[in-house]
Amino acid sequence: MAAEEPKVAETETPSEPPPAPETVQALVPAEATKDVAEEKAIIPPPLPPPEEKVDESKAVEKAPETVEEKSAEGSINRDAVLARVETEKRMSLIKAWEESEKSKAENKAHKRLSAIVAWENSRKASVEAELKKLEEQLEKKKAEYAEKMKNKIAMIHKEAEEKRAMIEAKRGEDILKAEESAAKYRATGTSPKKLLGCF
């Protein structure tokens, strides 16, 4: 039975490596193995009485309990380790997904910002071109109006000169007339009919 118990322990705890055959033989004394082998060869083993069977089952039950406890502790530890590994794996996947989503969001925002900057630049260029065109038109109109105003000023100046010339000519004529009339009055010795309006 002692040889069977380690085998049961070995099958129930897969996390522990099976002991080497040398260690199993070292656990069981060599004489006991010879006795057991001789008994098996000579006499078939007798059936144990029912009382002994209960005792053996108790003994067998005790051994598996300790093995089960050890295996339960090992499986609990293994389950905890596996759960921790699974959690770490899940967390790393979540972190990778989060980084991917953040990267996508950053790229999308950068793309939209670039589009807005391009739109802004094109609109500014369009407005500046329109403003430049209007300025050119205004400059052209300003030059045209300035030319018209200069022409008008020249016409006004010309008319003023003509009127001045006419007035000068009229004055000259009036002065000559007055001198001639005065000379005539002196020659005849008569006085003018009209006197200056001051008397």
Side-chain angles (χ1 to χ4, degrees):
M1 292 307 288
E4 291 178 8
E5 287 180 20
K7 288 181 183 177
V8 171
E10 288 174 15
T11 56
E12 288 183 5
T13 56
S15 61
E16 296 175 5
E22 295 174 358
T23 55
V24 174
Q25 289 176 358
L27 292 174
V28 181
E31 294 175 17
T33 344
K34 288 180 183 176
D35 291 343
V36 172
E38 287 175 7
E39 284 179 7
K40 284 183 181 179
I42 298 171
I43 306 169
L47 293 175
E51 292 176 357
E52 290 180 8
K53 210 173 204 180
V54 173
D55 290 337
E56 285 180 20
S57 65
K58 288 180 183 177
V60 170
E61 285 179 8
K62 287 181 182 178
E65 284 177 6
T66 57
V67 171
E68 284 178 10
E69 288 176 6
K70 288 181 182 179
S71 66
E73 288 176 8
S75 66
I76 289 172
N77 290 341
R78 184 177 61 234
D79 290 344
V81 169
L82 288 174
R84 189 175 67 228
V85 167
E86 188 67 29
T87 304
E88 289 175 2
K89 184 179 177 183
R90 192 178 326 111
M91 290 299 166
S92 66
L93 286 174
I94 290 170
K95 188 175 182 180
W97 177 84
E98 179 185 13
E99 292 297 322
S100 173
E101 290 299 313
K102 283 181 181 179
S103 176
K104 284 180 187 177
E106 288 290 329
N107 290 340
K108 188 184 281 186
H110 182 70
K111 188 176 179 182
R112 287 182 177 175
L113 288 174
S114 297
I116 289 169
V117 168
W119 174 82
E120 180 185 15
N121 290 340
S122 67
R123 296 293 294 164
K124 279 182 181 178
S126 173
V127 169
E128 286 174 0
E130 189 176 343
L131 178 64
K132 193 172 183 179
K133 186 178 178 181
L134 287 173
E135 285 176 352
E136 288 174 359
Q137 288 177 352
L138 289 173
E139 286 294 324
K140 188 177 179 182
K141 284 184 179 181
K142 183 180 175 182
E144 288 174 3
Y145 282 126
E147 189 67 29
K148 284 182 183 179
M149 294 303 122
K150 284 179 184 176
N151 290 342
K152 279 187 180 181
I153 291 169
M155 291 294 289
I156 291 169
H157 185 65
K158 185 179 177 183
E159 286 179 20
E161 288 295 321
E162 287 175 358
K163 287 182 180 182
R164 280 191 206 108
M166 286 173 60
I167 291 171
E168 288 293 325
K170 180 87 169 149
R171 184 182 67 132
E173 285 176 13
D174 290 343
I175 289 172
L176 279 177
K177 238 184 201 183
E179 285 176 359
E180 285 174 6
S181 296
K184 187 179 172 186
Y185 288 129
R186 281 187 204 114
T188 58
T190 57
S191 60
K193 295 177 185 175
K194 282 186 179 178
L195 293 176
L196 292 173
C198 55
F199 295 114

